Amino acid sequence: MKRELFDFLNSDLQFIKGVGPVLATRFGDVLGGRRVLDFMLHIPAYVRARGVTDIVTDAMPGDVITIPLLVKSHKRGGSFRGRRAPTQIICADKMGNSVVVQFFNVNFLDYWLKKLPIGQWRMVSGKLERGSRAVINHPEFIEEMQYANKIPSVQAIYPSGEGLTQKTFANVRDQIFAMLPDKIAGESDSDICEFFDALRHVHYPESGDDLLPNSPYMVKLAYWELLAHQSAIVISRRNRTDVRNRRIVRPQKYKLVEKFYGTLPFSLTGAQMRAINEIFSDMSRDIPMMRLVQGDVGSGKTIVALAAAIKMAESGAQTALLAPTDTLAQQHYAKIAPLCEKIGIVCDILTGRDKGASRREKLISLRSGRTKIVVGTHALFSDDVEYKDLGLVIIDEQHRFGVSQREALRTKGTNPDMLALSATPIPRTLSMTVYGDMDVSVINEKPAGRLPIKTTKLPIARISELVARLKVQVDAGAKVFWVCPLVAESDVSDLTAVQSRYDELKQIFPHAGLVHGQMDKSQRDSVMAQFADDNSDMRILVATTVIEVGIDVPRATIIVIENAEQFGLAALHQLRGRVGRGNAQSYCILLYGRNVSDAGLKRLDVLTETDDGFEIAEQDLIMRGTGELLGTRQSGWINYHFVDYARHRDLFRLAASAARDMTSPTQTVRDLMFIFDRGVTISA
Ligand code: ADP
Ligand code: MG
C-alpha cells in the first residue's frame, strides 16, 4: 500500500468537514476507533427506500415517505405542569390532506421553523406515524423543492450510536469516497484496488441485496477479512513457537499465591481452580503463555488473572493489566489494590489521566521494578513507559484487541506471557477458528451461593402491572435499571422515547435518574455514581444502552429491558449481567413491543430458559443460520466487519488453508492485516 493511501486511512475523522472533536469522539464509540479506516469498515446494515408519495392517504402508517408539503401554520410547543408539548408545523399535501410535522426537542426550534416557512412548499421525508392524524416526527430530510433530489431514493442505513444521525454518516461517507480515488491512484496492487472498489459498493448499495452475505462484494470482503485474520493467527503461532522467542523460565514459587487464597473471603470454584492450574502449567514451560480465559460476567475471571499476576510477582517479574477504558481500569484497580495490599504487593494504576509529577513517579516505580502489578489503558504501552521485567500481560475484554495488537504488546517485555480475559462467550463450535493461536480455559461455573437471574418476558401492554410490582420492590430497597433501546436510524426519537419513559416513571418514582449518550460525560458519571451510592434515594435508573459497559452496582437486582426484541441476544445477555452480582435473587424483565415477530419471541425464550452464555451464543448462531434475521455479522459475539459465521463457512476453510500454506506473508496480506487489525503492523 502506498504511503499516501496509508496516511489517509490512518487520519483522524476529526479532520473531515463537518466533524469536530465531539462528533469524532462519538464516532470513536460506535466504530471502535476514530480513523477514516474505522469508518470505512463500518458498513450499512440495510437500505431504506424513500420513494416519493404525493398523497398522504396512499401511504401506510409506519412507512417512510417523501412527500411535498405546503406549510400552513406553526404551533410552538413548550412545557407546562411538567409535561412537554411538541412543536407542531401544520402542513397540507397536494390534495389538501392535513399532515402535522412534530418536534419534541426544542433546542433547535428556530432552525426547524426557518426550514419550514409558512406559505411555502417543501419536500419532507420521514416516518409516518400511526394515529388519528397523519404525523411525521422529526423528519430526516427537509429540502426546498428545487433540491428535492438531494433526498436519496435508496438510503443506506448505518448502525448508529447516540448523537450521530444518518445524515452525518452520509456526509462523512461522501467526503471519504470523494477523496479516495486520488489517494488510491498509482496503487499497483490490483487486489487492494479491488478491495476498495467492493467497499465502495457496499457503502453505496443499489439495493438491499448488495449487503447480503452472498452478494459478490460481501463475499470478497469477507474472504479478505478472513485471510487477514487467519494469517495473523498463523504468524502469531509461528512467532510463539520460534526458538528465538523462548520465554524465561522463572522459579516456581507458590507461597504468595497460597497466602492470597487465604485472604479471600470465599473459596475458589472448581472452574476457577482448573483455569489457574492450566495457567500455572503454562508458566512453567519455556514457550510463552497465550491463553484466553472465557467466562460470563461475575464468574470470577479477575481473581484467576490476579493469581497469575501474584505468581509472577513472587518470581520477581511484573504484570500489566490492560483494560479497554479508563472506567474499567479504575474498577479493576479498586478491586485489586486492597487484595494486593494484604499480601504486600505493590500495585498501581496508569491511564491517560495521569500527567506531570504523579505520572513521572509512577514511571520511575515501574522502571525500578518496585511496582509489580500495574493496571491501566493503552497508556501502559506508551513509548515512555519502561518495565524492569514485564513477565505477564493481561488483556481484559480481549475481543476489542486485534491479533496484531496483541503481538505488538509482546515487544514491551522479553516474550512475556499473555493472558486474555473475555466475558463474550464464543459458540464452542467457532472457538478454534477465532482463537486459533490461543489455548482456552472456560469458567463455566458461578461462585457458590449465586442465584440464577429469574428472567421473564412480558408484553408492553402489561407495563402498569409491572410498574406497580416494581414500586413494592423499590420501596423495600431494591435498585432497578430500566433500559430503553437505541433504534439505529433516528437518535432524536430515541431520546424522545427514553425521555418520555423517564417522565412517566418519575410520577411514580420521584427520585428516578436518567442517563443517555447525549449528556455530558461528567453529568452522566455523576448520575451513575448517585445510583451506585447506597445512601442515595435514587433507586431506579432509566438509561439507554450506555450502561452496557462499565457500571458496577452490586446492589442492583432488577433490570427491565424495553423493546427487548430489538436487541441481539449477545447484548441482552450482557445487559442482564448488570444484575445478579451479589447473593440476592435478581430479576430480568424483557418487555416486548406490539409488533414483535414469532422469531423475536423465540429468541427471548432462549434467555428465559438459560443464563449460560455459551449456550445462548450457540442458540443464537443456530437461529441466525436458519432464520430470516440479520446475519451473524452484527451479532455482537465477535466483531468481524463482513464475515457472517453462519453463511461464510466455506470461506473460513479457504482462508485458513491459504494462510497455513503461506511461507511468509505477501505485501497484499500485510496490507490486509493492517486494514483489519487496527493499523498495527505485525512482524513475521
Ligand atoms: P469477572 O471478572 O469474571 O466478571 P470478578 O472476578 O470480578 O468476575 O468476580 C465478580 C465478583 O465475584 C467479585 O466481587 C469477586 O470478589 C467475587 N468472586 C469471585 N470468585 C468468587 C468465588 N469463588 N466465590 C464467591 N465470590 C467470588
Ligand atoms: Mg471482569
Side-chain angles (χ1 to χ4, degrees):
M1 207 157 29
K2 289 258 160 38
R3 189 75 220 173
E4 203 181 347
L5 177 58
F6 187 93
D7 287 343
F8 174 61
L9 297 176
N10 247 348
S11 60
D12 195 307
L13 285 173
Q14 186 174 339
F15 302 109
I16 297 277
K17 224 184 295 161
V19 182
V22 174
L23 281 188
T25 305
R26 286 183 188 164
F27 271 121
D29 289 344
V30 174
L31 312 175
R34 41 189 283 169
R35 300 164 308 151
V36 163
L37 181 57
D38 298 311
F39 186 95
M40 293 174 98
L41 295 177
H42 184 81
I43 59 169
Y46 58 97
V47 303
R48 162 171 311 141
R50 313 194 75 99
V52 176
T53 312
D54 279 328
I55 302 158
V56 72
T57 44
D58 285 349
M60 297 287 290
D63 285 355
V64 172
I65 56 169
T66 299
I67 186 169
L69 293 176
L70 175 63
V71 181
K72 299 282 218 190
S73 65
H74 291 169
K75 205 170 126 199
R76 275 176 177 271
S79 85
F80 36 82
R81 287 195 209 137
R83 294 215 156 250
R84 286 143 44 101
T87 288
Q88 299 185 321
I89 320 279
I90 317 295
C91 307
D93 69 8
K94 283 185 177 164
M95 294 287 284
N97 296 311
S98 158
V99 178
V100 181
V101 176
Q102 267 188 164
F103 297 96
F104 288 88
N105 190 336
V106 287
N107 290 347
F108 303 107
L109 198 55
D110 290 333
Y111 170 80
W112 297 118
L113 294 182
K114 246 186 239 157
K115 285 205 91 158
L116 290 160
I118 294 170
Q120 306 252 331
W121 283 92
R122 287 290 183 268
M123 191 66 94
V124 175
S125 186
K127 188 166 152 198
L128 187 63
E129 300 293 337
R130 286 152 206 280
S132 51
R133 293 197 293 180
V135 173
I136 298 177
N137 291 327
H138 292 273
E140 288 146 273
F141 296 91
I142 301 172
E143 294 293 344
E144 291 175 31
M145 295 309 288
Q146 78 232 48
Y147 299 123
N149 60 1
K150 275 197 188 169
I151 302 175
S153 57
V154 173
Q155 187 190 11
I157 304 292
Y158 287 88
S160 182
E162 286 167 273
L164 289 172
T165 63
Q166 289 302 321
K167 269 200 165 157
T168 312
F169 272 95
N171 166 39
V172 173
R173 171 199 58 190
D174 291 350
Q175 289 190 57
I176 289 176
F177 281 95
M179 285 185 268
L180 186 63
D182 257 5
K183 312 287 178 191
I184 215 166
E187 199 62 48
S188 52
D189 185 339
S190 62
D191 280 342
I192 292 296
C193 294
E194 224 182 297
F195 173 84
F196 284 102
D197 184 57
L199 204 51
R200 172 192 297 278
H201 274 102
V202 293
H203 276 283
Y204 291 94
E206 279 167 23
S207 78
D209 289 352
D210 289 346
L211 296 172
L212 294 179
N214 61 356
S215 93
Y217 311 116
M218 289 298 284
V219 168
K220 273 188 201 167
L221 292 165
Y223 175 73
W224 278 315
E225 180 166 34
L226 284 167
L227 182 62
H229 187 222
Q230 294 295 318
S231 301
I233 286 177
V234 166
I235 293 169
S236 156
R237 207 189 299 136
R238 284 180 192 166
N239 280 346
R240 187 178 156 213
T241 48
D242 189 319
V243 283
R244 286 165 300 179
N245 293 333
R246 284 292 123 98
R247 151 190 198 287
I248 306 163
V249 182
R250 298 185 168 82
Q252 305 297 309
K253 297 188 195 158
Y254 298 93
K255 264 220 195 82
L256 268 183
V257 176
E258 295 295 340
K259 195 167 163 194
F260 165 63
Y261 295 157
T263 62
L264 292 175
F266 46 75
S267 51
L268 297 173
T269 64
Q272 282 173 316
M273 276 319 298
R274 219 177 311 123
I276 290 175
N277 286 335
E278 285 164 348
I279 291 168
F280 285 2
S281 128
D282 289 350
M283 287 168 82
S284 66
R285 302 202 304 159
D286 67 349
I287 294 175
M289 166 164 73
M290 181 74 93
R291 183 169 290 278
L292 171 74
V293 176
Q294 272 195 302
D296 271 332
V297 170
S299 60
K301 297 182 293 296
T302 311
I303 301 289
V304 168
L306 195 53
I310 289 167
K311 181 166 183 305
M312 224 2 122
E314 189 168 13
S315 70
Q318 295 165 295
T319 295
L321 195 166
L322 184 60
T325 64
D326 271 13
T327 317
L328 288 175
Q330 241 117 39
Q331 272 182 19
H332 269 304
Y333 181 69
K335 260 193 227 168
I336 288 174
L339 295 171
C340 287
E341 198 175 333
K342 276 194 200 146
I343 53 171
I345 288 182
V346 180
C347 172
D348 206 349
I349 179 165
L350 185 71
T351 68
R353 288 188 205 167
D354 292 302
K355 301 256 151 64
S358 109
R359 181 179 164 86
R360 267 198 304 280
E361 224 165 89
K362 289 177 178 212
L363 295 189
I364 290 170
S365 182
L366 271 174
R367 204 176 315 133
S368 73
R370 196 179 85 89
T371 301
K372 287 291 184 297
I373 300 178
V374 62
V375 181
T377 53
H378 276 97
L380 292 180
F381 295 93
S382 317
D383 285 340
D384 62 339
V385 182
E386 283 172 47
Y387 296 84
K388 174 138 190 281
D389 178 12
L390 181 60
L392 172 65
V393 177
I394 301 172
I395 306 173
D396 195 20
E397 291 304 332
Q398 90 93 33
H399 66 290
R400 298 193 197 189
F401 293 89
V403 179
S404 321
Q405 263 182 316
R406 217 190 311 129
E407 277 296 284
L409 298 188
R410 288 172 60 167
T411 59
K412 273 283 175 185
T414 29
N415 301 307
D417 289 327
M418 306 280 274
L419 188 62
L421 311 178
S422 173
T424 310
I426 300 288
R428 280 183 199 87
T429 43
L430 298 176
S431 178
M432 256 319 283
T433 30
V434 182
Y435 298 127
D437 62 330
M438 286 194 275
D439 303 309
V440 179
S441 299
V442 171
I443 305 191
N444 53 1
E445 191 182 338
K446 292 254 155 74
R450 207 60 61 78
L451 297 164
I453 301 164
K454 284 195 178 149
T455 303
T456 43
K457 62 183 205 299
L458 202 68
I460 188 78
R462 288 174 61 187
I463 188 169
S464 44
E465 198 182 312
L466 170 66
V467 169
R469 268 162 42 204
L470 285 182
K471 174 92 175 111
V472 176
Q473 297 287 328
V474 166
D475 288 346
K479 288 196 177 188
V480 182
F481 285 114
W482 188 296
V483 183
C484 297
L486 192 72
V487 188
E489 52 257 42
S490 159
D491 47 358
V492 191
S493 59
D494 286 333
L495 195 53
T496 317
V498 70
Q499 179 79 48
S500 63
R501 180 60 72 219
Y502 170 70
D503 289 345
E504 270 175 49
L505 288 171
K506 219 165 152 63
Q507 316 279 330
I508 292 138
F509 307 97
H511 300 291
L514 171 68
V515 285
H516 56 72
Q518 291 194 340
M519 287 161 72
D520 269 359
K521 194 172 175 315
S522 59
Q523 202 185 350
R524 207 159 76 192
D525 287 349
S526 115
V527 176
M528 289 208 194
Q530 222 178 316
F531 180 64
D533 180 358
D534 283 346
N535 299 317
S536 134
D537 287 332
M538 188 187 291
R539 300 243 178 81
I540 181 160
L541 182 69
V542 183
T544 52
T545 40
V546 290
I547 64 152
E548 199 173 332
V549 264
I551 185 171
D552 201 3
V553 185
R555 275 208 29 217
T557 51
I558 303 175
I559 185 165
V560 177
I561 305 173
E562 213 174 311
N563 284 112
E565 75 278 10
Q566 294 180 12
F567 290 96
L569 284 183
L572 289 172
H573 181 60
Q574 299 287 6
L575 280 171
R576 180 166 62 174
R578 298 293 113 200
V579 300
R581 304 188 140 205
N583 286 340
Q585 178 64 57
S586 288
Y587 302 89
C588 170
I589 298 101
L590 305 169
L591 277 177
Y592 55 88
R594 293 188 178 83
N595 300 323
V596 67
S597 67
D598 286 348
L601 280 178
K602 247 177 91 182
R603 271 180 339 118
L604 298 185
D605 283 339
V606 174
L607 287 162
T608 62
E609 281 157 20
T610 178
D611 68 350
D612 173 352
F614 292 94
E615 178 61 23
I616 295 169
E618 202 78 47
Q619 288 298 325
D620 192 34
L621 186 69
I622 294 168
M623 289 182 153
R624 282 168 188 273
T626 56
E628 305 306 308
L629 294 152
L630 280 175
T632 35
R633 189 158 61 83
Q634 264 122 22
S635 70
W637 303 112
I638 319 112
N639 53 356
Y640 275 129
H641 295 97
F642 308 106
V643 178
D644 184 314
Y645 268 113
R647 297 186 183 84
H648 288 146
R649 298 240 166 159
D650 44 338
L651 293 184
F652 266 104
R653 276 187 286 275
L654 277 176
S657 81
R660 229 178 300 123
D661 294 344
M662 140 190 107
T663 40
S664 74
T666 61
Q667 190 56 45
T668 311
V669 167
R670 283 170 189 279
D671 290 346
L672 288 171
M673 288 195 294
F674 165 84
I675 288 170
F676 286 110
D677 244 345
R678 293 163 182 259
V680 176
T681 343
I682 180 171
S683 57

